Amino acid sequence: MQTSFAGCIRPVRGDFWIGAAAPLPFTEEVGNKSGMLRTLYPPIEPYASGTLDTGEGHSIYYERCGTPGAKPAVFVHGGPGGGISPAHRGLFDPDLYDVILFDQRGCGRSTPHASLDANTTWHLVADIERLRELAGAEQWLVFGGSWGSTLSLAYAQTHPERVSELVLRGIYMCSRAELDWFYQFGVSQLFPDKYERLVAPIPEAERGELLRAYHRRLTTGSMEEQIEAARAWSLFEGEVITLLPDAATSRQHDDGHFALAFARLETHYFVNDCWLEPDQLLRGAHKLRAIPGTIVHGRYDMPCPAHYAWALHKAWPEADFHLIEGAGHAYSEPGILDRLIRTTDLYANKANG
């Protein structure tokens, strides 16, 4: 087990970044000997894609990337409702991995779009297991960030014998305290301007239960009204997940098609506590003891306070733990991305002897 605290980062030339930090305990966290941080592998296209019929009214889009027959892995996206993007393929060395990426029920290229029917955490756990069987893998590396870390933990604790390694970023436990921090009081104190825009569509009398107020508006009324509410909900998250403003992330979250699935699915899951008992994933951490794992979390993660990553680290001390300074929530934060790439490389190289 390694514990590290990455130092702050600053841009120098082009896409290269240099760390500026005090010495780190146990592991070199900021760059290699040249001081450069790792970035995504070059863009690639899937070598195969298709849809999985769940038999419950959902068709799941998936794609396979990398080298057929190489180390099997699955990428579990965030949200719920965030979907996959071509950039996610670059988290894995295409020469060493055979990766499945998929859009969870109701989002991305899966259909029906923004559907809440037969859409729970445990439906998604079953979908991941169906995809493993489709891939023909006895075990695979499971990589999940944000809500994807929640779902990956649920899957790994349900099917520990199927997980060769577990890579988690932006730890989220779906607790009431986390939801209140993000939507009621906490992030509102750090981003009062953005929070004011979030609550603006909601009458003051309903703002004490903001999550439920949005859920009602996203599941009733005209499609135009739902999209308007969805964009307000989605844009708030899109504007606080990076340490510094990122126009591309904001544009994606402001898109009506994306926002409808993102906001409907998030509120659907959150009002139902993601179909998890309180502290279920922390209490189940003992089931992970035999699984090699890595936890990566940004110090200034707004949606997912570092407290919960630390709690998982304490409950699962066998996993490597990396708390990244100078980083927010998104996987694209330079220090987070560097650590994720180094982690997937490490596990692939270990598999190849």
Side-chain angles (χ1 to χ4, degrees), residues 79-101:
I84 58 173
S85 77
H88 293 142
R89 304 166 190 162
L91 289 161
F92 305 87
D93 185 334
D95 293 329
L96 301 179
Y97 277 97
D98 185 354
V99 187
I100 282 188
L101 304 93

Side-chain angles (χ1 to χ4, degrees), residues 95-166:
D95 293 329
L96 301 179
Y97 277 97
D98 185 354
V99 187
I100 282 188
L101 304 93
F102 71 102
D103 288 319
Q104 295 161 27
R105 296 187 184 204
C107 70
R109 282 174 277 186
S110 294
T111 58
H113 187 68
S115 172
L116 308 182
D117 296 331
N119 199 336
T120 71
T121 300
W122 305 110
H123 286 104
L124 302 187
V125 166
D127 291 344
I128 297 174
E129 185 61 2
R130 290 188 185 103
L131 288 168
R132 183 195 61 78
E133 293 171 353
L134 181 150
E138 284 297 310
Q139 288 188 315
W140 55 359
L141 179 146
V142 178
F143 182 121
S146 191
W147 154 252
S149 76
T150 319
L151 183 54
S152 295
L153 282 166
Y155 174 78
Q157 292 179 16
T158 304
H159 301 284
E161 73 285 358
R162 299 303 185 187
V163 181
S164 58
E165 300 92 10
L166 186 57

Side-chain angles (χ1 to χ4, degrees), residues 303-326:
C304 305
H307 167 82
Y308 299 92
W310 185 256
L312 179 62
H313 164 55
K314 302 297 282 187
W316 183 28
E318 295 83 2
D320 293 344
F321 178 74
H322 304 277
L323 188 59
I324 311 297
E325 299 288 358

